[in-house]
């Protein structure tokens, strides 16, 4: 086990951070009126806008690094002091960024060059939780945010005073236990962490909504949907379009899985005309189901590689897993990770303190101080997550030379899609090439492999959609605090066909038991990523001159594919995402055809299995 050191910076999504002081522009409209009676104030012009952006970026740079460093310290060592310092520095940054975002609107009617216009747009949309201008409120918002993240990170379920489980332990039980009572106990146990979050969350929503309205948005929901180079409401329609492409496939998978779970646990536990109870799907949140492959696999014996077993047999530890993932990127022509990555990352869960185990990738100085923070388990699932995280790091490094406001992914789904795209290339052929397995199962086994992957990728899709459907309703006030939990389960049932396994208590706040809610990380990005990664994979496989079925394609070793990928990464946010997408794939549209085509043979198989079943819920 490796001792981890820490000492630097922030999360991958830093393009959204600014700070800055300003020049030139007026502070507020009331000031304007006072001043206009004394000095005739000239209206801002294009040169003012450019100067404003330049200064903004300088200020942002100044404030963001200490905030990121403190956030790293906090998340890798949760205690009252790191919480306080992190909240303090994050508030400094957020309040400045909010102020600048507001000032950006002073240039709405000024004719400026395209680059300046884009930077003004990015500046205005950059915050996930904009702060109200009143300092007391801004400070409170920062405190709440830090506290919620800490509550999640330090969360435990104690069956007795001596017998406490951490989330990592509980995740392992959810993946491996086949005892419905144990699963239910752990499922309920983890959800005891979140009722105390509810009042704080409610307060956070009120404060951030105030910040959003100060920026000229209806509410925080509109701000969150406004960062996709199209009007906020059109983006919601885009999501509906993609979901309608994917729903028939999801329904077929759901039907098969429910039937097999009924066989495993009995139809009194898994009624065949209702949503699936959420504790039986091999994952704490029922978000990806690959861990129950053994329950739902085809009857005929198919050979499907067990990556978890192969890692164990070959003596892989956490570091070796990361090194192996790095070497995939190297084979595409990416430069190795810096020495500091190995010195400063957190790879294993420390025994002596609380940390935020949820995996993340950081670029602490926005240059070369790349790190991941992850409590790695030695499993195939986590091997993929490592590739996911490194995808963030390579993206961060690719756009580091761009002006600060362009340092980010084309849209947030792109950031989430890169490492996953690479992980799609962890095929049997690749595993054989790196010596993890001896032989490759022939094509007659492919349905097994496709089913295993679909349990992760297709099953995830409605989950990826519904988290923000819930949040948007919460932010807009459509869902009031007394309905937070019931609205959550309505969406879980509607989109996923998954239900709470037991009646929820009145104070339950189940959304809080999912990391991204207390951590305030938008979630639609993962839905988009699940669509995009298959579009990317298609194109990269073509460049790699793949001649096999697309699910057997690995781009390992293709510098040509690597170069095309890197070219897109280097664009950062400098252009609308549609242009970045087209630069790689030739198309400006996100489109689920690629993922549907990838799994097409499985759809046929599922339809055969379901022929005499009553599907739906
Ligand atoms: O949060 C993550 C990554 C870090 S950005 C590990 N993911 C989502 C989740 O765990 O809920 C990746 C897939 C979905
Ligand atoms: Zn990610």
């Amino acid at each position: 086990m490796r001792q981890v050191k820490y000492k630097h910076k922030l999360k991958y999504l830093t393009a959204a951070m600014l700070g800055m002081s300003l020049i030139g522009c007026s502070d507020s409209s009331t000031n304007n009126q006072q001043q206009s009676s004394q000095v005739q104030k000239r209206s801002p012009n294009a040169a003012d806008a450019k100067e404003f952006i330049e200064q903004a970026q300088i200020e942002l740079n100044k404030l963001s690094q200490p905030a990121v460093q403190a956030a790293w310290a906090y998340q890798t060592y949760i205690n009252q002091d790191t919480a306080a310092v992190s909240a303090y520095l994050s508030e400094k940054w957020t309040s400045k960024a909010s102020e600048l975002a507001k000032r950006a609107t002073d240039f709405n009617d000024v004719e400026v060059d395209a680059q300046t216009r884009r930077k003004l747009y990015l500046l205005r949309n950059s915050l996930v939780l904009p702060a109200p201008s009143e300092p007391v409120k801004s400070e409170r918002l920062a405190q709440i945010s830090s506290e919620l993240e800490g509550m999640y990170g330090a969360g435990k379920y104690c069956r007795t005073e001596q017998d406490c489980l951490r989330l990592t332990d509980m995740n392992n039980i959810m993946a491996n236990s086949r005892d419905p009572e144990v699963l239910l106990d752990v499922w309920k146990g983890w959800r005891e962490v979140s009722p105390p979050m509810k009042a704080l969350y409610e307060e956070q929503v009120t404060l951030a909504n105030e910040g959003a309205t100060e920026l000229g948005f209806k509410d925080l929901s509109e701000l969150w949907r406004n960062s996709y180079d199209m009007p906020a409401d059109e983006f919601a329609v885009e999501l509906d379009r993609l979901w309608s492409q994917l729903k028939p496939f999801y329904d077929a998978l759901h039907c098969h899985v429910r039937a097999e779970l009924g066989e495993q646990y009995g139809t009194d536990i898994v009624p065949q005309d209702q949503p699936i109870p959420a504790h039986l799907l091999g994952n704490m949140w029922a978000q990806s189901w690959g861990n129950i492959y053994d329950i739902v696999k085809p009857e005929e014996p198919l050979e499907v590689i067990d990556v978890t077993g192969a890692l164990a047999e070959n003596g892989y530890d956490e570091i070796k897993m990361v090194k192996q993932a790095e070497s995939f990127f190297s084979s595409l022509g990416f430069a190795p990770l810096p020495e500091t990555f190995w010195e400063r990352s957190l790879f294993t869960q420390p025994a002596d303190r609380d940390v935020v185990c949820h995996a993340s990738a950081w670029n602490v100085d926005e240059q070369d101080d790349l790190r991941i923070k992850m409590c790695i388990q030695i499993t195939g699932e986590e091997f993929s997550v490592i590739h996911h995280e490194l995808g963030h790091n390579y993206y961060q490094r690719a756009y580091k030379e761009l002006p600060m406001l362009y340092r980010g992914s084309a849209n947030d789904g792109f950031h989430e899609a890169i490492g996953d795209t690479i992980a799609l290339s962890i095929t049997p052929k690749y595993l054989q090439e790196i010596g993890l397995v001896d032989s490759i199962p022939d094509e007659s086994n492919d349905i097994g492999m496709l089913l295993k992957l679909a349990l992760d990728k297709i099953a995830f899709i409605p989950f990826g959609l519904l988290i923000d459907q819930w949040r948007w309703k919460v932010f807009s006030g459509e869902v009031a605090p007394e309905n937070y939990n019931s609205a959550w389960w309505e969406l879980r049932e509607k989109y996923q066909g998954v239900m709470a396994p037991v009646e929820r208590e009145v104070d339950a706040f189940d959304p809080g038991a999912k990391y991204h809610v207390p951590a305030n990380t938008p979630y639609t990005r993962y839905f988009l990523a699940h669509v995009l990664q298959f579009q990317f994979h298609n194109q990269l496989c073509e460049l790699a001159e793949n001649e096999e079925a697309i699910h057997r394609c690995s781009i390992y070793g293709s510098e040509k594919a690597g170069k095309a990928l890197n070219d897109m990464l280097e664009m950062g946010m400098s252009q609308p995402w549609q242009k970045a997408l087209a630069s790689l794939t030739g198309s400006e549209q996100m489109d689920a055809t690629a993922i549907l085509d990838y799994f097409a043979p499985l759809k046929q198989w599922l339809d055969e299995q379901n022929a005499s079943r009553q599907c739906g819920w």
Side-chain angles (χ1 to χ4, degrees):
M1 294 283 157
R2 176 184 171 96
Q3 194 54 36
V4 180
K5 302 182 207 137
Y6 32 86
K7 102 179 203 217
H8 326 68
K9 177 165 173 174
L10 196 51
K11 235 182 206 161
Y12 78 84
L13 262 186
T14 49
M17 8 202 94
L18 342 159
M20 58 191 259
S21 66
L22 243 272
I23 37 117
C25 313
S26 61
D27 270 333
S28 72
S29 50
T30 30
N31 267 349
N32 273 350
Q33 278 164 6
Q34 283 169 1
Q35 287 168 3
S36 62
S37 56
Q38 299 153 11
V39 189
Q40 196 60 33
K41 224 183 150 267
R42 74 173 170 80
S43 343
N45 60 28
D48 297 330
K50 266 189 121 147
E51 176 64 11
F52 167 79
I53 286 294
E54 283 314 309
Q55 292 299 323
Q57 296 187 115
I58 291 168
E59 287 295 325
L60 287 188
N61 255 333
K62 254 198 327 225
L63 289 174
S64 84
Q65 182 160 343
V68 179
Q69 288 173 312
W72 176 270
Y74 179 41
Q75 294 193 27
T76 57
Y77 197 156
I78 301 173
N79 63 38
Q80 64 287 1
D81 302 320
T82 51
V85 175
S86 175
Y88 179 82
L89 290 169
S90 148
E91 194 279 332
K92 296 283 165 248
W93 175 77
T94 307
S95 58
K96 208 43 148 170
S98 304
E99 176 193 326
L100 290 169
K102 228 168 293 169
R103 290 186 179 181
T105 58
D106 291 350
F107 301 97
N108 281 354
D109 299 325
V110 180
E111 221 174 284
V112 295
D113 63 89
Q115 298 245 334
T116 304
R117 177 58 59 211
R118 180 150 184 85
K119 288 175 186 158
L120 288 165
Y121 166 79
L122 294 171
L123 181 53
R124 177 163 180 256
N125 285 289
S126 60
L127 283 153
V128 171
L129 282 182
S133 44
E134 233 179 278
V136 181
K137 291 184 177 175
S138 169
E139 282 157 24
R140 178 71 185 143
L141 179 60
Q143 231 175 39
I144 293 175
S145 307
S146 150
E147 197 173 334
L148 283 172
E149 177 129 27
M151 286 165 87
Y152 187 96
K156 278 171 205 72
Y157 166 45
C158 297
R159 291 190 273 210
T160 65
E161 238 174 75
Q162 275 76 41
D163 174 23
C164 289
L165 295 171
R166 300 174 302 182
L167 180 56
T168 337
D169 310 318
M170 289 185 267
N171 282 338
N172 289 333
I173 296 174
M174 295 307 291
N176 298 312
S177 169
R178 298 295 177 251
D179 178 338
E181 278 175 25
V182 171
L183 291 168
L184 185 58
D185 180 52
V186 168
W187 188 92
K188 285 198 300 196
W190 173 242
R191 281 157 184 78
E192 286 175 13
V193 76
S194 48
M197 293 176 186
K198 187 179 165 193
L200 288 170
Y201 190 75
E202 203 182 315
E203 198 183 342
Q204 185 185 50
V205 169
T206 306
L207 291 167
N209 263 338
E210 200 173 317
T213 49
E214 285 185 26
L215 288 174
F217 294 100
K218 244 187 348 230
D219 52 47
L220 190 58
S221 156
E222 192 185 30
L223 167 56
W224 278 30
R225 288 180 286 112
N226 201 48
S227 309
Y228 294 91
D229 299 304
M230 59 173 68
D233 291 336
E234 259 175 53
F235 177 63
V237 175
E238 268 297 273
L239 294 179
D240 288 344
R241 178 179 66 78
L242 294 169
W243 171 231
S244 67
Q245 281 186 285
L246 286 156
K247 183 169 169 27
F249 205 129
Y250 179 76
D251 288 348
L253 184 66
H254 180 280
C255 191
H256 173 68
V257 166
R258 184 176 63 189
E260 296 295 325
L261 286 172
E263 302 245 318
Q264 168 89 16
Y265 294 112
T267 51
D268 46 341
I269 294 186
V270 191
Q272 293 298 295
D273 56 354
Q274 285 180 43
I276 303 173
H279 62 313
L280 304 176
L281 289 154
N283 175 278
M284 181 59 90
W285 305 274
Q287 67 183 64
S288 49
W289 308 344
N291 291 321
I292 56 158
Y293 174 73
D294 60 309
I295 299 178
V296 307
K297 69 185 178 194
E299 255 153 49
E300 62 272 32
L302 295 181
E303 199 188 328
V304 174
I305 291 173
D306 165 21
V307 179
T308 303
L311 291 168
E313 275 163 33
N314 289 278
Y316 270 65
D317 62 10
E318 296 84 355
I319 305 295
K320 190 160 180 211
M321 288 166 77
V322 183
K323 292 261 180 207
Q324 191 62 58
E326 179 195 33
S327 81
F328 197 123
F329 286 88
S330 300
S331 86
L332 301 176
F334 289 89
L337 292 164
E339 201 39 50
T340 50
F341 171 89
W342 302 101
E343 292 162 7
R344 297 170 186 176
S345 288
L346 185 148
F347 298 115
T348 56
Q349 181 158 19
D352 60 344
R353 61 180 198 266
D354 290 321
V355 305
V356 176
C357 269
H358 191 89
S360 55
W362 304 52
N363 185 356
V364 176
D365 64 356
E366 299 221 4
Q367 286 302 310
D368 293 307
D369 192 352
L370 303 170
R371 309 174 193 180
I372 62 170
K373 175 187 65 59
M374 186 174 166
C375 304
I376 299 176
Q377 309 294 296
I378 303 172
T379 64
E381 190 179 2
E382 294 267 288
F383 192 44
S384 290
V385 178
I386 292 169
H387 291 74
H388 175 99
E389 296 308 330
L390 292 192
H392 288 311
N393 282 149
Y394 286 100
Y395 212 151
Q396 290 159 339
R397 193 167 60 180
Y399 56 61
K400 69 174 186 173
E401 301 302 344
L402 295 178
M404 183 174 199
L405 284 163
Y406 287 163
R407 289 181 214 149
S409 54
N411 71 37
D412 55 4
F414 283 58
H415 230 305
E416 300 303 335
I418 301 310
D420 281 14
T421 303
I422 301 305
L424 288 177
S425 281
I426 306 177
T427 55
K429 185 177 68 181
Y430 169 69
L431 292 171
Q432 188 193 37
E433 244 172 289
I434 62 170
L436 260 173
V437 299
D438 297 331
S439 62
I440 307 175
D442 71 34
E443 273 133 40
S444 66
N445 298 282
D446 283 6
I447 287 298
M449 177 167 103
L450 284 171
L451 177 58
K452 173 106 170 61
L453 192 64
L455 289 167
D456 285 332
K457 301 289 181 184
I458 301 276
F460 179 82
I461 299 273
F463 186 79
L465 197 59
L466 76 85
I467 308 261
D468 284 350
Q469 301 287 328
W470 178 81
R471 275 193 288 211
W472 296 344
K473 285 175 197 276
V474 165
F475 296 160
S476 74
E478 190 186 327
V479 168
E482 61 271 24
N483 300 323
Y484 278 177
N485 215 49
S486 55
W488 172 260
W489 284 107
E490 274 164 32
L491 290 165
R492 294 268 270 166
E493 292 190 15
K494 173 179 165 189
Y495 284 103
Q496 283 189 287
V498 159
M499 64 182 179
V502 282
E503 177 115 20
R504 304 306 293 136
E505 280 149 21
V506 279
D507 69 339
F509 181 52
D510 295 328
K514 175 66 197 161
Y515 172 73
H516 302 70
V517 173
N520 258 300
T521 309
Y523 210 81
T524 306
R525 55 182 61 173
Y526 303 107
F527 171 83
L528 300 177
H530 276 64
V531 171
L532 284 166
Q533 63 189 262
F534 288 90
Q535 290 184 264
F536 297 159
H537 181 65
N538 258 352
Q539 185 59 34
L540 296 175
C541 285
E542 202 165 310
L543 292 168
E545 292 166 31
N546 166 63
E547 285 175 355
E548 296 189 79
I550 190 71
H551 60 269
R552 288 187 153 248
C553 160
S554 177
I555 62 165
Y556 182 61
S558 171
E559 291 201 6
K560 201 163 154 206
K563 158 112 186 34
L565 180 61
N566 190 52
D567 286 349
M568 181 177 79
L569 304 189
E570 281 183 349
M571 291 169 74
M573 298 168 103
S574 63
Q575 294 194 40
W577 63 261
Q578 292 88 339
K579 302 287 171 219
L581 181 58
S583 78
L584 179 64
T585 69
S587 163
E588 292 199 356
Q589 274 234 318
M590 291 190 276
D591 181 20
T593 311
I595 177 170
L596 292 170
D597 287 351
Y598 184 102
F599 288 109
L602 178 69
K603 176 67 166 51
Q604 202 191 332
W605 182 87
L606 286 170
D607 289 343
E608 283 160 24
Q609 306 304 306
N610 293 334
S612 61
R613 288 171 176 154
Q614 191 65 43
C615 298
W617 57 89

